Amino acid sequence: MNTTTNRWSSNWVFVLAATGAAVGLGNIWKFPYITGENGGGAFVLLYLVCIVIVGLPLMMAEILLGRRGRQNPVATMKTLALEHKRSRCWCIIGVLGLLSSFLILSYYSVIAGWTLSYTVHAINGDFTNATPLAIIDLFQHFIASPWQLLAWHSLIMIVTIWVVSCGVQKGIERAVLGMFPIMVLLLLLLVGYAIKTGYFTAGLHFLLYPDFSMLGTQGALQALGHAFFTLSLATGSIMMYGAYLPSNASITKASIAIVTADTGVALLAGLAIFPIVFANHLTASAGPGLIFKTLPIAFGHMHYGRLWGTLFFIMLVLAAFTSTLALLEPCVAWFIERFHASRTRAAWIIGSGIWLLGIANALSFNRWEHIRWLGQTLFQLADHLTANLMLPLGGLLIALFVGWRLPTEVSLLELQLPYHNRLCRIWRLSMRYIAPIAIVFIFVKALEVL
Ligand code: PHE
């Protein structure tokens, strides 16, 4: 009922919405700090290779599955498997996707809440002239306060639920159309500022100069894992957005546009952040605190730092928000179709479940910090379980299904590619061999880490 009739109002809106889903905390919070931790250029180079040989082909595969099935990820996979006389067990791809998006949103929304809180701090001028110690203290106090984390997490969830409950065109589409361009504009402004710091070439050098001695096996694995997370692959989000794609749209062109834009934003974020870090004589390898500890120190000491800090955190909120919408939608669509529920009801029921689980994630930074399994807090577990296990597994199954189980003619029909086209041959090669082998490799390594 729901998905078969829902459509984006144009192909470009789809590209924008999917890019909004892909661009998020992964690009602006995670990418710069894992690049910093892994020494820069060599890591970036490997990440780009992963994006091209695994990420792009899988993006095409997920969109084509979604558009072919035109239902929620579970029903889509079941329909396609049965239609081509394959086992209905392939619907596990959809189930895994929904579970991943449910779990990811439960912690993503907590971190998105941090960005909202930091926007308020920046507006209030709380970083101005603060000592590094005071800024670190501010962060520690913040995450030690369960009520603050819960309040911001709740706010993010309420707005996300509300927008999703308004529908695909009236809710998600409008929100993305309003937010994404502003986000890009703010990012460009910040890059402009970074150019003026005088440390832009240092940032550029750090990001692009490949020093392979700095890259270990762990870094290489992180590069591949991050390619999944940043492109929102295997969570059902892209498949779901693909289900709303008009039939005449070119999936290949759309995928290239989404992947290029996502990668472009990640690189621009690096180019905005590292020059600011270097200009203030701070270190690039600060880890997850790079955005919440190192940058505020820089904002506190630069000209118009209050303004730049505010713009930076607003940009982060907007980027995170277009991703939370994409994370909620697949589960909501599933609920609507499975229980014939109204969209509003589905959004509030599913959203409340995610909110509840999010409470556990928020508390794992303070009251429940001692609750650990295999030495990890609930938040760390949810992050590892999804990014290192569930997403690679989902991606592997998608590649195997599309590469070996779905008739090639069906894929090519959706992709609008002729059989002997070179792009088509590379794509099939990736689905059948390159992506599965690469994923099995990180999957095994990730199991070792857990
Ligand atoms: N790709 C998003 C980011 O980089 C996160 C995300 C994952 C969003 C999965 C939707 C689905 O932040």
Side-chain angles (χ1 to χ4, degrees):
M1 46 178 287
N2 153 62
T3 32
T4 38
T5 51
N6 270 332
R7 290 288 179 280
W8 302 110
S9 29
S10 75
N11 302 346
W12 273 107
V13 169
F14 163 74
V15 172
L16 210 64
T19 308
V23 171
L25 297 172
N27 302 60
I28 305 170
W29 169 61
K30 205 167 176 187
F31 175 74
Y33 90 73
I34 52 178
T35 300
E37 281 179 339
N38 290 294
F43 175 85
V44 175
L45 194 68
L46 195 69
Y47 161 79
L48 292 179
V49 171
C50 296
I51 290 278
V52 174
I53 65 168
V54 181
L56 178 62
L58 263 176
M59 172 73 68
M60 291 163 68
E62 265 206 71
I63 300 175
L64 91 83
L65 288 175
R67 188 168 73 177
R68 187 89 195 159
R70 292 238 186 262
Q71 295 159 80
N72 72 76
V74 180
T76 280
M77 287 314 302
K78 195 161 138 195
T79 308
L80 291 182
L82 293 180
E83 203 174 286
H84 300 288
K85 311 217 165 20
R86 303 298 182 192
S87 161
R88 65 190 318 138
C89 292
W90 285 105
C91 76
I92 186 76
I93 291 177
V95 176
L96 254 178
L98 293 194
L99 283 176
S100 306
S101 53
F102 195 94
L103 258 175
I104 293 179
L105 184 52
S106 76
Y107 70 80
Y108 200 88
S109 132
V110 174
I111 310 287
W114 296 6
T115 64
L116 210 51
S117 155
Y118 266 61
T119 308
V120 176
H121 279 305
I123 293 172
N124 286 343
D126 293 344
F127 309 136
T128 314
N129 293 326
T131 61
L133 212 64
I135 297 237
I136 291 167
D137 226 38
L138 180 85
F139 183 69
Q140 304 299 9
H141 263 93
F142 173 60
I143 61 168
S145 152
W147 291 112
Q148 282 203 56
L149 295 197
L150 284 184
W152 293 111
H153 158 63
S154 307
L155 192 60
I156 294 278
M157 281 313 298
I158 289 172
V159 182
T160 304
I161 293 170
W162 175 68
V163 173
V164 168
S165 74
C166 291
V168 176
Q169 282 199 5
K170 292 211 176 94
I172 302 178
E173 187 174 314
R174 274 196 198 163
V176 173
L177 279 174
M179 290 179 185
F180 196 74
I182 300 179
M183 190 233 111
V184 174
L185 199 75
L186 292 179
L187 182 60
L188 292 176
L189 262 177
L190 283 155
V191 175
Y193 175 84
I195 292 175
K196 282 181 53 196
T197 55
Y199 282 78
F200 191 70
T201 34
L204 204 64
H205 183 267
F206 181 75
L207 210 56
L208 299 183
Y209 180 75
D211 176 2
F212 282 96
S213 65
M214 296 290 289
L215 188 71
T217 333
Q218 273 306 318
L221 300 176
Q222 254 183 319
L224 196 52
H226 187 63
F228 268 97
F229 185 81
T230 188
L231 292 178
S232 308
L233 295 171
T235 55
S237 297
I238 293 294
M239 202 186 281
M240 197 66 244
Y241 275 16
Y244 306 141
L245 181 63
S247 307
N248 62 354
S250 158
I251 292 180
T252 314
K253 279 191 202 148
S255 304
I256 294 175
I258 298 163
V259 171
T260 311
D262 182 74
T263 311
V265 169
L267 293 176
L268 283 178
L271 287 180
I273 292 167
F274 290 121
I276 295 178
V277 170
F278 295 144
N280 289 277
H281 311 294
L282 298 164
T283 112
S285 56
L290 186 66
I291 294 297
F292 296 103
K293 292 190 225 163
T294 310
L295 270 191
I297 296 176
F299 290 137
H301 290 91
M302 61 202 221
H303 285 306
Y304 301 106
R306 193 166 167 181
L307 176 71
W308 290 113
T310 306
L311 294 182
F312 178 82
F313 283 107
I314 290 179
M315 173 193 71
L316 210 52
V317 169
L318 295 178
F321 197 69
T322 48
S323 293
T324 59
L325 298 176
L327 283 162
L328 184 58
E329 177 61 20
C331 293
V332 168
W334 168 78
F335 195 91
I336 294 172
E337 291 173 8
R338 177 76 179 71
F339 299 105
H340 302 290
S342 73
R343 179 166 271 274
T344 311
R345 201 180 157 87
W348 283 101
I349 292 177
I350 295 284
S352 307
I354 294 173
W355 174 74
L356 273 176
L357 192 62
I359 295 181
N361 280 318
L363 291 180
S364 76
F365 287 97
N366 34 70
R367 297 237 169 111
W368 290 359
E369 214 196 339
H370 61 282
I371 302 180
R372 281 165 192 260
W373 194 57
L374 298 170
Q376 311 222 23
T377 64
L378 293 173
F379 169 82
Q380 288 167 330
L381 269 178
D383 183 20
H384 272 300
L385 191 70
T386 48
N388 294 344
L389 294 174
M390 294 167 76
L391 300 193
L393 182 62
L396 174 66
L397 293 175
I398 292 172
L400 293 179
F401 182 78
V402 174
W404 298 95
R405 285 290 172 256
L406 192 71
T408 310
E409 308 78 65
V410 174
S411 305
L412 298 190
L413 196 72
E414 279 299 326
L415 293 178
Q416 297 158 356
L417 287 177
Y419 201 90
H420 293 294
N421 181 294
R422 190 188 303 161
L423 189 71
C424 162
R425 263 190 264 146
I426 299 175
W427 177 75
R428 289 198 63 224
L429 196 70
S430 172
M431 284 297 98
R432 294 189 141 211
Y433 305 103
I434 303 174
I437 292 171
I439 295 166
V440 166
F441 181 69
I442 43 163
F443 188 53
V444 171
K445 291 289 179 183
L447 272 177
E448 283 171 13
V449 175
L450 199 78

